[in-house]
């Protein structure tokens, strides 16, 4: 199993938070699952720009950290659905706040980036 070269500092809340949710896609994955999209195939279609491989890695990490749970249905074809755990539900207000801030900042960011070009 992969071992990090720099260990997690469990005394730093930001370090722990970044270990669990620090990626480009995890907030998007959690947001879509909270809206009821629970199957990987549907998540790929709902999240613009994510690949199947990246989604699988993000789901695996979120599950390993206890933010998501997984239900596997033994049917043909195999069906897998993800759900947000109680620990994961505590992140939803944070995700909503970041989404609100991002939407409010988007016009300013667009203007700044257009000036560069």
């Amino acid at each position: 199993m992969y071992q990090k070269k720099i260990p997690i500092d469990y005394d730093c809340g930001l370090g722990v938070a970044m270990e669990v949710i620090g990626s480009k896609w995890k907030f998007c994955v959690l947001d879509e699952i909270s809206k009821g999209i629970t199957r990987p195939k549907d998540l790929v279609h709902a999240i613009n720009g994510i690949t199947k491989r990246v989604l699988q890695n993000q789901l695996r990490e979120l599950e390993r950290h206890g933010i998501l749970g997984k239900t596997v249905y033994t049917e043909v074809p195999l069906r897998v659905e993800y759900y947000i755990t109680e620990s994961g539900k505590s992140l939803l207000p944070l995700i909503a706040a970041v989404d609100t801030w991002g939407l409010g900042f988007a016009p300013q960011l667009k203007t700044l980036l257009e000036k560069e070009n």
Side-chain angles (χ1 to χ4, degrees):
M1 183 173 168
Y2 172 77
Q3 255 191 338
K4 291 184 166 233
K5 293 178 183 166
I6 301 173
I8 300 168
D9 180 2
Y10 293 104
D11 294 325
C12 176
L14 291 175
V16 172
M18 291 307 293
E19 170 66 24
V20 175
I21 57 171
S23 82
K24 179 178 179 177
W25 301 108
K26 287 181 181 173
F27 270 11
C28 297
V29 169
L30 290 170
D31 186 47
E32 293 300 332
I33 292 174
S34 75
K35 293 176 184 174
I37 299 174
T38 59
R39 299 185 66 196
K41 179 181 177 184
D42 298 330
L43 287 167
V44 167
H45 294 306
I47 302 170
N48 189 22
I50 196 167
T51 64
K52 291 178 186 178
R53 179 177 172 269
V54 169
L55 176 64
Q56 286 300 88
N57 287 336
Q58 300 299 294
L59 291 169
R60 191 176 309 115
E61 286 180 18
L62 288 166
E63 185 181 7
R64 185 176 50 153
H65 289 120
I67 304 301
L68 290 181
K70 175 170 71 172
T71 305
V72 179
Y73 297 93
T74 54
E75 36 186 65
V76 177
L78 187 68
R79 182 170 54 118
V80 176
E81 292 183 353
Y82 288 88
Y83 61 90
I84 299 178
T85 63
E86 288 304 313
S87 296
K89 288 178 184 174
S90 68
L91 284 170
L92 296 179
L94 177 62
I95 293 169
V98 171
D99 183 46
T100 300
W101 181 86
L103 290 172
F105 187 71
Q108 183 179 347
L109 180 63
K110 183 178 179 182
T111 302
L112 289 168
L113 294 177
E114 286 174 350
K115 284 181 184 177
E116 288 182 1
N117 294 330

